[in-house]
Amino acid sequence: QVQLVESGGGLVQAGDSLRLSCTASAPRFNTYALAWFRQAPGKDREFVTAISADGSATYYADFVKGRFTISRSNPKNSVYLQMNSLKPEDTAAYYCAADQRPRNYYYSSGYDYWGQGTQVTVSS
């Protein structure tokens, strides 16, 4: 019922910026909470940021506060992740996720729908 497609990843240098996009084919997109997670090789998927269905509430992992910003456009069925001041440790595959009633915004198990991921690689 819901499909998510990420884009915008790439290879950049430390200090650069990237803007990731996730476009959804969801019948009622404005009823879904959205999130970004990331996963590096050999590591667990970790929470990055989330946004409520109406965009009034946002949540951030400590390691991205002040550098990353999540936003959404319900008319465009899209969620975005603006990433500034990128660091090599930000290197990972980034995934968007969606759920109408997430169990918890911070946990991957709280989301039923996932995109395929987009790779972000930050060199020094």
Side-chain angles (χ1 to χ4, degrees), residues 14-121:
D16 285 352
S17 297
L18 280 175
R19 183 173 183 260
L20 306 184
S21 298
C22 175
T23 300
S25 59
R28 303 187 70 182
F29 181 79
N30 62 355
T31 67
Y32 288 82
L34 301 165
W36 289 94
F37 290 79
R38 70 186 188 185
Q39 186 169 23
K43 296 184 178 180
D44 292 335
R45 191 165 297 187
E46 66 179 347
F47 172 81
V48 178
T49 182
I51 189 167
S52 61
D54 65 359
S56 63
T58 57
Y59 310 86
Y60 293 94
D62 287 341
F63 57 80
V64 301
K65 288 181 179 178
R67 297 192 298 126
F68 292 8
T69 303
I70 188 172
S71 62
R72 68 186 294 162
S73 174
N74 286 342
K76 296 182 178 180
N77 280 24
S78 295
V79 61
Y80 308 97
L81 180 62
Q82 179 65 47
M83 304 186 294
N84 298 326
S85 301
L86 283 163
K87 305 174 181 179
E89 51 263 43
D90 294 319
T91 296
Y94 284 72
Y95 300 85
C96 64
D99 205 286
Q100 289 178 306
R101 297 182 64 182
R103 185 181 68 183
N104 189 296
Y105 284 107
Y106 297 93
Y107 298 130
S108 61
S109 60
Y111 298 87
D112 287 339
Y113 305 102
W114 294 83
Q116 84 290 348
T118 185
Q119 180 67 36
V120 173
T121 302

